[in-house]
Amino acid sequence: MAAEFGRLRKGAVNTTVAAVVVAALAASQAPGVTTDGAGRKVTTGTQPSPDTPAADSATGNSPYYTDLPPLNSPNPAPSSGTTVTPAAGEAGIPATVLDAYKKAEAALRESKPHCNLPWQLLAAIGKVESGQARGGRVDADGTTLSKILGPQLNGAGFANISDTDGGAYDGDARYDRAVGPMQFIPSTWKWAGRDGNGDGRKDPNNVYDAALAAGHYLCRFDWNLAEQADLDRAILSYNNSRDYLNLVMRWLDYYRKGTHEIPDGTGTLPSGRSDDGAGANPTPSPTPPASPSTPSSPSAPSSPSAPTTPPKPGGSEPGDGGSGSPKPTPPPSTTPPTPTDTVDHLEDAGTAKLTAMAGDTFTEKISARAETESGKAVARVRVRFTITGDTDAVFSTGEKVAAVLTDGSGKAVAPALRAGEDTGEFTVRATVVGRAVAGLDYTATVTERAADTLARTDDTALTCVPGGEFAERVEVKATYKGAVADKVAATATLIKAADDPDENDKGPYFKDADGKPVRTLTGLKTGADGLLELPKLYADDTTGTFLLRIATAGGATLTVELKVAAAETSPETSPEPTESASPSA
């Protein structure tokens, strides 16, 4: 069986001889090669071996786009209805594609937090591999409108990888091709594929699935991508080329400095390719490529170098007439508009008043309906809900952003909102992913934690002698609608009378940190079990019945009776009367 090599020049060496040479180089140059649990070769050391077989990379070392980042810093996000210029399209990331990268980062943050995968790395690789899914030409589910396929890996200027999937992913039953927006070869996708959009399928042509798979692939060896050495290893494992590494790093640095979201389908199509080809997709894009305002240089981002493979004499893709033949111009698009293209505006779909107490989940959910200009509902459109403002509220998913598909009635229902500890108002904005239409704002209010009932936890009488201290401490339990009311603010005041809540100036008292008498305590809070135990009480020399009032946010109050009286003396302990002496006779 022929060995699989990345970018071996066609006819340069006999396959058997090449295999021996590669094996020798790998043994002499690689710091160490081991095998993981799936039988894949793993190079240990500062970077993968330059001679690692192409099948051991995510892409089979297939060609990649060499367009460089714009010279200017990222432009601000275009406002609603703004025409996206080629320059803005080059700098921005299509909405659904950007959403997929950020969701993948969030998923990896949960499952592999030690990896420290930034979404900007996925964006950099996605830019180099497919030009962000060919300018964001995806539907509301994130699936590309047409397949993105690399050339046959048939050894003719590329790696030689015979078919491994029966053509299931790439439509080629003879040789493998890199597939989808992240350009996975079928043999890698079989074990690396993930379901990123929750539809029960692992589709390399879906940007949510592909982005999540790429994230797991980059994090598979316990690498810490916050460290440059591990970051280099991860990128080189994706496509084993130093020029590729340099180019991805340039885009990563660019996206880290800031980027912006653009509508789906408005990104510029890449031009230069590492093998001097004209594009890696044999299927014409549904829309003709738009020429960028300033063509990007096809050279690698580091020092210029000669192409690693010669132009393919017979053409590598359908419609490629060879190195000297002009490529046919794609026909005008006849593809009908996607549901997203037909959305004119968003309408509130009957969202009730959004109010919740701090720490609670909002009982009402936000609903928005996507409609055409005539008011017709639009199904299968992705609506993004974003929490804005100075708040620690999140969705039930734990995030501040959620994207939901509209149902058959055009309605998208956001996940439940969960209030944090910050009180006040905040805004949730609904927007259509991939469509520049006006957003819809919803106001939500978080009120402070409250209790509606207070009760003592025991009924022991609270008594004390003048100048002494009460043996029992006052403990109460707070509830709200029958449930434990935790972290509720409370005050405790020794008052003058039941109808006079002013602070008393005599009788029982608490002590402050300096031991001085105080008769009002503020800043109290119930515990996780709703319990609140007050500090020890003391009595001055005044006797009588006194009142302690405890009040919480929400209006719950409780009045406790305190008695200060001299100790009673029993007959047994009373001194006997002294008899007076009889007068003498």
Side-chain angles (χ1 to χ4, degrees):
M1 182 178 68
E4 299 168 356
F5 306 127
R7 293 197 180 83
L8 292 181
R9 294 179 183 271
K10 182 178 180 182
V13 290
N14 176 274
T15 301
T16 304
V17 175
V20 173
V21 172
V22 168
L25 287 172
S28 64
Q29 296 180 9
V33 179
T34 60
T35 303
D36 68 7
R40 298 181 297 277
K41 293 178 182 177
V42 181
T43 304
T44 59
T46 58
Q47 66 183 65
S49 166
D51 301 293
T52 302
D56 283 353
S57 70
T59 65
N61 289 349
S62 60
Y64 53 89
Y65 290 105
T66 57
D67 303 55
L68 298 175
L71 295 177
N72 298 326
S73 60
N75 297 323
S79 59
S80 176
T82 301
T83 301
V84 179
T85 64
E90 180 70 14
I93 299 177
T96 298
V97 180
L98 180 59
D99 187 55
Y101 296 150
K102 291 186 175 181
K103 275 188 166 48
E105 179 198 55
L108 268 296
R109 192 185 307 123
E110 291 292 326
S111 62
K112 297 181 180 179
H114 61 277
C115 182
N116 293 308
L117 172 80
W119 66 260
Q120 291 93 339
L121 175 59
L122 297 176
I125 291 176
K127 180 67 176 181
V128 170
E129 292 295 345
S130 68
Q132 310 299 20
R134 296 185 64 77
R137 286 154 175 81
V138 296
D139 63 17
D141 290 321
T143 302
T144 57
L145 299 180
S146 61
K147 287 187 175 181
I148 301 175
L149 300 174
Q152 282 187 335
L153 299 177
N154 57 10
F158 306 104
N160 188 335
I161 304 179
S162 298
D163 175 65
T164 62
D165 65 332
Y169 294 123
D170 56 14
D172 192 329
R174 187 176 180 187
Y175 295 100
D176 272 348
R177 295 169 178 251
V179 181
M182 302 303 279
Q183 289 289 278
F184 279 96
I185 55 174
S187 58
T188 301
W189 184 260
K190 283 182 180 179
W191 60 265
R194 294 290 193 279
D195 176 15
N197 63 352
D199 63 358
R201 300 172 59 237
K202 299 176 183 178
D203 182 4
N205 298 296
N206 182 278
V207 70
Y208 287 95
D209 295 358
L212 184 60
H216 278 280
Y217 184 91
L218 294 164
C219 292
R220 70 196 186 284
F221 290 137
D222 292 326
W223 285 325
N224 178 6
L225 304 188
E227 298 180 1
Q228 188 62 48
D230 280 356
L231 179 60
D232 288 353
R233 294 184 185 101
I235 296 172
L236 286 168
S237 77
Y238 208 89
N239 193 317
N240 195 17
S241 160
R242 178 59 60 175
D243 286 344
Y244 179 86
L245 168 64
N246 292 339
L247 182 59
V248 169
M249 284 302 304
R250 286 187 65 166
W251 278 107
L252 172 58
D253 181 63
Y254 180 80
Y255 287 136
R256 276 175 168 165
K257 292 177 181 176
T259 184
H260 61 268
E261 176 185 296
I262 59 174
D264 289 343
T266 62
T268 58
L269 297 179
S271 56
R273 215 173 72 183
S274 62
D275 65 336
D276 289 337
N281 189 1
T283 304
S285 172
T287 56
S291 301
S293 58
T294 304
S296 300
S297 170
S299 61
S302 59
S303 57
S305 59
T308 56
T309 57
K312 298 170 288 300
S316 63
E317 307 169 17
D320 185 349
S323 60
S325 303
K327 292 185 180 296
T329 302
S333 172
T334 58
T335 305
T338 65
T340 302
D341 295 333
T342 67
V343 176
D344 176 75
H345 60 274
L346 288 174
E347 287 286 344
D348 178 25
T351 304
K353 186 177 181 180
L354 297 165
T355 303
M357 206 158 54
D360 286 354
T361 298
F362 285 73
T363 56
E364 294 294 333
K365 293 184 178 181
I366 297 173
S367 298
R369 186 171 55 253
E371 297 182 355
T372 64
E373 186 176 5
S374 62
K376 182 180 178 181
V378 184
R380 301 195 65 75
V381 170
R382 193 174 296 277
V383 176
R384 179 184 293 120
F385 298 93
T386 305
I387 297 173
T388 63
D390 187 13
T391 179
D392 56 354
V394 294
F395 290 110
S396 57
T397 58
E399 299 178 3
K400 288 185 176 291
V401 178
V404 182
L405 277 178
T406 57
D407 59 17
S409 65
K411 186 167 68 174
V413 181
L417 283 167
R418 190 169 65 223
E421 296 303 316
D422 295 339
T423 59
E425 292 185 347
F426 64 92
T427 300
V428 179
R429 165 159 285 200
T431 56
V432 178
V433 175
R435 182 75 170 166
V437 298
L440 193 60
D441 288 343
Y442 299 81
T443 299
T445 304
V446 179
T447 60
E448 63 180 331
R449 292 173 182 263
D452 56 16
T453 304
L454 281 174
R456 283 190 65 194
T457 56
D458 64 60
D459 55 3
T460 304
L462 299 167
T463 62
C464 183
V465 296
E469 61 183 51
F470 287 80
E472 298 290 334
R473 291 192 179 192
V474 178
E475 184 182 64
V476 297
K477 183 172 184 178
T479 56
Y480 184 79
K481 296 182 179 179
V484 167
D486 62 325
K487 301 179 183 178
V488 177
T491 60
T493 306
L494 291 151
I495 62 175
K496 290 184 176 181
D499 57 355
D500 187 353
D502 291 340
E503 179 183 290
N504 205 342
D505 57 358
K506 59 186 177 180
Y509 60 89
F510 300 105
K511 287 183 178 180
D512 63 15
D514 297 325
K516 296 179 180 180
V518 292
R519 290 185 169 84
T520 297
L521 297 178
T522 59
L524 304 174
K525 276 192 177 182
T526 60
D529 50 6
L531 296 178
L532 171 63
E533 185 182 62
L534 299 183
K536 184 175 290 188
L537 277 162
Y538 302 86
D540 61 14
D541 293 336
T542 309
T543 58
T545 299
F546 301 90
L547 299 178
L548 167 67
R549 179 162 293 172
I550 306 169
T552 69
T557 60
L558 176 67
T559 303
V560 181
E561 190 175 84
L562 308 171
K563 289 185 177 181
V564 180
E568 296 181 359
T569 57
S570 61
E572 291 77 8
T573 59
S574 299
E576 295 182 359
T578 303
E579 294 182 1
S580 58
S582 299
S584 58

